[in-house]
Tab-separated table of all heavy atoms in Angstrom:
chain	number	residue	atom	x	y	z
E	690	HIS	N	-12.206	34.936	10.762
E	690	HIS	CA	-13.078	35.930	10.124
E	690	HIS	C	-12.785	36.075	8.634
E	690	HIS	O	-13.555	36.640	7.905
E	690	HIS	CB	-12.925	37.264	10.833
E	690	HIS	CG	-13.281	37.135	12.263
E	690	HIS	ND1	-14.574	37.018	12.673
E	690	HIS	CD2	-12.519	37.023	13.365
E	690	HIS	CE1	-14.588	36.866	13.979
E	690	HIS	NE2	-13.358	36.860	14.421
E	698	LYS	N	-13.287	21.709	-2.416
E	698	LYS	CA	-13.543	20.448	-1.732
E	698	LYS	C	-12.617	19.422	-2.370
E	698	LYS	O	-13.010	18.619	-3.205
E	698	LYS	CB	-15.012	20.060	-1.903
E	698	LYS	CG	-15.484	19.107	-0.858
E	698	LYS	CD	-16.992	19.047	-0.800
E	698	LYS	CE	-17.525	19.931	0.302
E	698	LYS	NZ	-18.951	19.805	0.496
E	700	ARG	N	-10.742	17.110	-0.942
E	700	ARG	CA	-10.663	15.832	-0.238
E	700	ARG	C	-9.238	15.287	-0.191
E	700	ARG	O	-8.941	14.233	-0.747
E	700	ARG	CB	-11.593	14.806	-0.899
E	700	ARG	CG	-13.043	15.250	-0.860
E	700	ARG	CD	-14.000	14.149	-1.188
E	700	ARG	NE	-15.373	14.589	-0.995
E	700	ARG	CZ	-16.101	15.218	-1.912
E	700	ARG	NH1	-15.576	15.483	-3.075
E	700	ARG	NH2	-17.328	15.588	-1.649
E	713	THR	N	-9.601	27.118	21.963
E	713	THR	CA	-10.245	28.411	22.176
E	713	THR	C	-11.359	28.602	21.155
E	713	THR	O	-11.181	28.298	19.987
E	713	THR	CB	-9.225	29.544	22.004
E	713	THR	OG1	-8.113	29.240	22.824
E	713	THR	CG2	-9.810	30.873	22.395
E	714	ILE	N	-12.468	29.080	21.614
E	714	ILE	CA	-13.478	29.560	20.676
E	714	ILE	C	-13.636	31.026	21.013
E	714	ILE	O	-14.021	31.372	22.117
E	714	ILE	CB	-14.815	28.825	20.848
E	714	ILE	CG1	-14.627	27.344	20.589
E	714	ILE	CG2	-15.848	29.397	19.902
E	714	ILE	CD1	-15.846	26.517	20.877
E	716	ASP	N	-14.586	35.075	21.091
E	716	ASP	CA	-15.760	35.935	21.044
E	716	ASP	C	-15.683	36.781	19.772
E	716	ASP	O	-14.677	36.799	19.078
E	716	ASP	CB	-15.753	36.829	22.281
E	716	ASP	CG	-17.121	37.385	22.568
E	716	ASP	OD1	-18.023	37.138	21.754
E	716	ASP	OD2	-17.288	38.056	23.591
E	717	SER	N	-16.737	37.463	19.531
E	717	SER	CA	-16.824	38.284	18.332
E	717	SER	C	-15.645	39.251	18.226
E	717	SER	O	-15.248	39.894	19.192
E	717	SER	CB	-18.130	39.062	18.392
E	717	SER	OG	-17.979	40.279	17.747
E	719	ARG	N	-15.729	41.888	16.668
E	719	ARG	CA	-16.268	43.241	16.736
E	719	ARG	C	-16.308	43.751	18.167
E	719	ARG	O	-16.022	44.894	18.452
E	719	ARG	CB	-17.664	43.251	16.121
E	719	ARG	CG	-18.011	44.540	15.466
E	719	ARG	CD	-19.295	44.440	14.702
E	719	ARG	NE	-19.186	43.601	13.543
E	719	ARG	CZ	-19.748	42.418	13.424
E	719	ARG	NH1	-20.455	41.927	14.404
E	719	ARG	NH2	-19.621	41.718	12.336
E	723	ARG	N	-14.332	46.949	19.451
E	723	ARG	CA	-15.075	48.068	20.016
E	723	ARG	C	-14.473	48.464	21.354
E	723	ARG	O	-14.258	49.644	21.633
E	723	ARG	CB	-16.536	47.674	20.202
E	723	ARG	CG	-17.403	48.827	20.626
E	723	ARG	CD	-18.745	48.343	21.080
E	723	ARG	NE	-18.638	47.493	22.240
E	723	ARG	CZ	-19.455	46.483	22.491
E	723	ARG	NH1	-20.410	46.184	21.650
E	723	ARG	NH2	-19.318	45.753	23.575
E	727	LYS	N	-12.784	51.982	22.143
E	727	LYS	CA	-13.397	52.786	23.176
E	727	LYS	C	-12.331	53.242	24.172
E	727	LYS	O	-12.314	54.403	24.594
E	727	LYS	CB	-14.464	51.961	23.893
E	727	LYS	CG	-15.540	52.798	24.524
E	727	LYS	CD	-16.634	51.897	25.025
E	727	LYS	CE	-17.227	52.474	26.282
E	727	LYS	NZ	-18.072	51.487	26.966
E	762	ARG	N	-14.086	57.677	10.887
E	762	ARG	CA	-15.496	57.554	11.235
E	762	ARG	C	-15.891	58.585	12.268
E	762	ARG	O	-16.932	59.214	12.192
E	762	ARG	CB	-15.738	56.160	11.822
E	762	ARG	CG	-16.775	55.368	11.107
E	762	ARG	CD	-16.930	54.045	11.808
E	762	ARG	NE	-17.866	54.171	12.911
E	762	ARG	CZ	-18.066	53.226	13.814
E	762	ARG	NH1	-17.397	52.103	13.748
E	762	ARG	NH2	-18.953	53.390	14.780
E	763	MET	N	-15.062	58.711	13.282
E	763	MET	CA	-15.428	59.569	14.397
E	763	MET	C	-14.927	60.982	14.209
E	763	MET	O	-15.095	61.807	15.093
E	763	MET	CB	-14.861	58.988	15.687
E	763	MET	CG	-15.499	57.678	16.064
E	763	MET	SD	-17.290	57.867	16.194
E	763	MET	CE	-17.737	56.300	16.847
E	792	GLN	N	-12.124	42.678	2.762
E	792	GLN	CA	-13.110	43.243	1.840
E	792	GLN	C	-13.213	44.758	1.948
E	792	GLN	O	-13.245	45.454	0.939
E	792	GLN	CB	-14.473	42.627	2.154
E	792	GLN	CG	-15.483	42.894	1.078
E	792	GLN	CD	-16.869	42.489	1.531
E	792	GLN	OE1	-17.121	42.289	2.709
E	792	GLN	NE2	-17.777	42.373	0.606
E	851	ASN	N	0.354	43.252	35.448
E	851	ASN	CA	-0.044	42.721	36.738
E	851	ASN	C	-0.125	43.780	37.813
E	851	ASN	O	-0.245	43.480	38.982
E	851	ASN	CB	0.925	41.620	37.158
E	851	ASN	CG	0.529	40.314	36.503
E	851	ASN	OD1	-0.630	40.124	36.154
E	851	ASN	ND2	1.490	39.448	36.313
E	912	LYS	N	-11.760	15.513	19.542
E	912	LYS	CA	-12.960	15.955	18.825
E	912	LYS	C	-12.965	15.433	17.388
E	912	LYS	O	-13.979	14.957	16.886
E	912	LYS	CB	-12.996	17.489	18.782
E	912	LYS	CG	-13.392	18.116	20.060
E	912	LYS	CD	-14.892	18.078	20.208
E	912	LYS	CE	-15.255	18.013	21.692
E	912	LYS	NZ	-16.587	17.518	21.918
L	1697	ASP	N	-20.892	19.366	-3.758
L	1697	ASP	CA	-19.570	19.974	-3.925
L	1697	ASP	C	-19.661	21.349	-4.580
L	1697	ASP	O	-18.741	22.147	-4.477
L	1697	ASP	CB	-18.693	19.086	-4.822
L	1697	ASP	CG	-18.140	17.919	-4.038
L	1697	ASP	OD1	-18.598	17.733	-2.901
L	1697	ASP	OD2	-17.270	17.206	-4.561
L	1776	LYS	N	-23.608	30.972	21.533
L	1776	LYS	CA	-22.187	30.877	21.262
L	1776	LYS	C	-21.485	30.527	22.546
L	1776	LYS	O	-21.581	31.216	23.544
L	1776	LYS	CB	-21.633	32.160	20.660
L	1776	LYS	CG	-21.911	33.413	21.417
L	1776	LYS	CD	-21.066	34.515	20.820
L	1776	LYS	CE	-21.292	35.824	21.523
L	1776	LYS	NZ	-20.500	36.884	20.969
L	1779	MET	N	-14.637	29.484	24.609
L	1779	MET	CA	-13.821	28.534	25.316
L	1779	MET	C	-12.410	29.072	25.263
L	1779	MET	O	-11.971	29.618	24.279
L	1779	MET	CB	-13.940	27.230	24.550
L	1779	MET	CG	-13.220	26.089	25.098
L	1779	MET	SD	-13.726	24.659	24.167
L	1779	MET	CE	-12.827	24.881	22.679
L	1788	ALA	N	-18.481	38.522	26.031
L	1788	ALA	CA	-18.495	39.934	26.399
L	1788	ALA	C	-19.908	40.370	26.753
L	1788	ALA	O	-20.117	41.194	27.639
L	1788	ALA	CB	-17.948	40.777	25.266
L	1807	TRP	N	-7.004	43.650	34.775
L	1807	TRP	CA	-6.262	42.646	34.021
L	1807	TRP	C	-6.987	41.315	34.173
L	1807	TRP	O	-7.348	40.903	35.261
L	1807	TRP	CB	-4.839	42.589	34.573
L	1807	TRP	CG	-4.094	41.318	34.354
L	1807	TRP	CD1	-3.540	40.542	35.317
L	1807	TRP	CD2	-3.771	40.712	33.123
L	1807	TRP	NE1	-2.903	39.482	34.766
L	1807	TRP	CE2	-3.036	39.563	33.408
L	1807	TRP	CE3	-4.051	41.030	31.796
L	1807	TRP	CZ2	-2.567	38.713	32.423
L	1807	TRP	CZ3	-3.589	40.175	30.819
L	1807	TRP	CH2	-2.852	39.037	31.137
L	1821	VAL	N	-18.670	20.177	24.486
L	1821	VAL	CA	-18.372	21.199	23.502
L	1821	VAL	C	-18.614	20.635	22.114
L	1821	VAL	O	-18.057	19.622	21.732
L	1821	VAL	CB	-16.917	21.667	23.624
L	1821	VAL	CG1	-16.649	22.764	22.630
L	1821	VAL	CG2	-16.656	22.157	25.012
L	1836	LEU	N	-23.334	37.086	11.457
L	1836	LEU	CA	-23.049	38.479	11.776
L	1836	LEU	C	-21.554	38.768	11.809
L	1836	LEU	O	-21.148	39.913	11.758
L	1836	LEU	CB	-23.660	38.843	13.133
L	1836	LEU	CG	-25.177	38.851	13.187
L	1836	LEU	CD1	-25.664	39.132	14.585
L	1836	LEU	CD2	-25.754	39.891	12.243
L	1837	GLU	N	-20.761	37.696	11.914
L	1837	GLU	CA	-19.326	37.927	11.957
L	1837	GLU	C	-18.655	37.548	10.653
L	1837	GLU	O	-17.437	37.426	10.575
L	1837	GLU	CB	-18.711	37.123	13.102
L	1837	GLU	CG	-18.994	37.744	14.438
L	1837	GLU	CD	-18.407	36.929	15.552
L	1837	GLU	OE1	-17.432	36.213	15.304
L	1837	GLU	OE2	-18.932	37.009	16.657
L	1839	GLU	N	-17.033	37.520	6.999
L	1839	GLU	CA	-16.084	38.474	6.436
L	1839	GLU	C	-16.723	39.333	5.353
L	1839	GLU	O	-16.362	40.486	5.157
L	1839	GLU	CB	-14.880	37.720	5.873
L	1839	GLU	CG	-13.595	38.499	5.895
L	1839	GLU	CD	-13.202	39.047	4.545
L	1839	GLU	OE1	-13.826	38.674	3.533
L	1839	GLU	OE2	-12.282	39.852	4.487
L	1841	PHE	N	-19.512	41.576	3.777
L	1841	PHE	CA	-20.570	42.386	4.371
L	1841	PHE	C	-21.940	42.046	3.801
L	1841	PHE	O	-22.951	42.262	4.441
L	1841	PHE	CB	-20.247	43.880	4.238
L	1841	PHE	CG	-20.633	44.510	2.940
L	1841	PHE	CD1	-21.864	45.106	2.801
L	1841	PHE	CD2	-19.767	44.495	1.859
L	1841	PHE	CE1	-22.226	45.690	1.602
L	1841	PHE	CE2	-20.128	45.068	0.673
L	1841	PHE	CZ	-21.357	45.668	0.538
L	1871	ASP	N	-24.121	45.260	18.746
L	1871	ASP	CA	-22.748	45.002	18.325
L	1871	ASP	C	-22.500	45.456	16.895
L	1871	ASP	O	-21.430	45.962	16.563
L	1871	ASP	CB	-22.496	43.499	18.373
L	1871	ASP	CG	-21.514	43.172	19.456
L	1871	ASP	OD1	-21.160	44.093	20.197
L	1871	ASP	OD2	-21.109	42.022	19.545
L	1874	ASN	N	-21.022	48.746	15.328
L	1874	ASN	CA	-19.609	49.052	15.180
L	1874	ASN	C	-18.994	48.375	13.975
L	1874	ASN	O	-17.788	48.232	13.894
L	1874	ASN	CB	-18.863	48.619	16.432
L	1874	ASN	CG	-19.062	49.609	17.534
L	1874	ASN	OD1	-18.717	50.757	17.391
L	1874	ASN	ND2	-19.669	49.181	18.601
L	1912	SER	N	-19.017	60.125	11.685
L	1912	SER	CA	-18.938	61.294	10.813
L	1912	SER	C	-19.973	61.251	9.698
L	1912	SER	O	-20.183	62.233	9.014
L	1912	SER	CB	-17.540	61.395	10.218
L	1912	SER	OG	-17.274	60.246	9.462
L	1948	LYS	N	-20.341	68.772	18.395
L	1948	LYS	CA	-19.393	68.373	17.355
L	1948	LYS	C	-19.951	68.629	15.958
L	1948	LYS	O	-19.221	68.993	15.046
L	1948	LYS	CB	-19.083	66.888	17.537
L	1948	LYS	CG	-17.841	66.438	16.809
L	1948	LYS	CD	-17.389	65.116	17.390
L	1948	LYS	CE	-16.212	64.574	16.606
L	1948	LYS	NZ	-15.777	63.280	17.111
Side-chain angles (χ1 to χ4, degrees):
Chain E
H690 301 286
K698 202 164 262 186
R700 299 194 174 87
T713 308
I714 299 174
D716 200 355
S717 149
R719 211 171 291 110
R723 187 192 63 212
K727 205 172 146 193
R762 237 181 85 189
M763 293 304 187
Q792 193 190 16
N851 277 335
K912 284 280 151 200
Chain L
D1697 281 10
K1776 53 169 180 180
M1779 182 171 76
W1807 156 237
V1821 182
L1836 293 176
E1837 285 179 25
E1839 209 257 350
F1841 84 92
D1871 248 6
N1874 282 300
S1912 61
K1948 197 162 175 182

